[in-house]
Amino acid sequence: MVGRWRDGTGTLHVVGGADGADGAEEDREGAEGSAGRAEGLSAARAAGIPLIIAASYRARARGLLGRDGLTGALLLTPASGVHTFRMRFAIDVAYLDRRLTVVDVHTLRPGRLGRPRLRSRHVLEAEAGALERWGVRRGVRVVIAPGPSTPPPPSVR
């Protein structure tokens, strides 16, 4: 299980399906081992995807508003739904349960409201098409290796 998160940065690793073959008990500290199992994956997935963690109310409310793009992904926690009002680009949204298993994935254009998912505890956002490239789909488990607590300025294009 995942404990409480703090605003900051981290690395996202896609480890595999929900069948537990890739280590169902592996949480934050298991990210190092997941990179070694990624021999058939793309270099970006094996090395990890840059991640911004938004755990405070203020960081979650700001989200991707006012940005023209995003390098990597944004994790909103806790969250069960999102919207794209006042956003400038389409995003992929992955709803994650308590064990960081993907419950559902959708692409939202600007000005849309995503329905909340009951089992969702975290929401992962990325530019449209990125989650598919990274192999994030329903049933896949992700691992998050947190970085520093104080986030650097986000990478905006």
Side-chain angles (χ1 to χ4, degrees), residues 99-115:
R99 294 186 162 263
L100 300 179
T101 301
V102 179
V103 175
D104 207 358
V105 178
H106 285 284
T107 300
L108 294 176
R109 295 184 317 217
R112 304 287 185 220
L113 177 66
R115 289 188 355 231

Side-chain angles (χ1 to χ4, degrees), residues 44-57:
R45 283 178 59 190
I49 298 145
L51 181 71
I52 299 170
I53 301 170
S56 69
Y57 175 78

Side-chain angles (χ1 to χ4, degrees), residues 48-136:
I49 298 145
L51 181 71
I52 299 170
I53 301 170
S56 69
Y57 175 78
R58 174 178 248 162
R60 288 191 318 266
R62 173 117 203 298
L64 296 174
L65 296 177
R67 300 182 190 186
D68 290 325
L70 175 70
T71 301
L74 172 70
L75 177 73
L76 303 172
T77 181
S80 61
V82 296
H83 68 83
T84 58
F85 301 123
R86 296 179 38 216
M87 289 188 59
R88 299 177 182 167
F89 58 98
I91 60 170
D92 282 344
V93 179
Y95 299 90
L96 309 174
D97 67 9
R98 292 175 195 243
R99 294 186 162 263
L100 300 179
T101 301
V102 179
V103 175
D104 207 358
V105 178
H106 285 284
T107 300
L108 294 176
R109 295 184 317 217
R112 304 287 185 220
L113 177 66
R115 289 188 355 231
R117 302 304 190 271
L118 292 177
R119 294 185 311 145
S120 176
R121 297 294 178 261
H122 316 281
V123 174
L124 188 66
E125 296 180 346
E127 283 193 11
L131 294 182
E132 185 178 351
R133 282 193 313 272
W134 300 333
V136 177

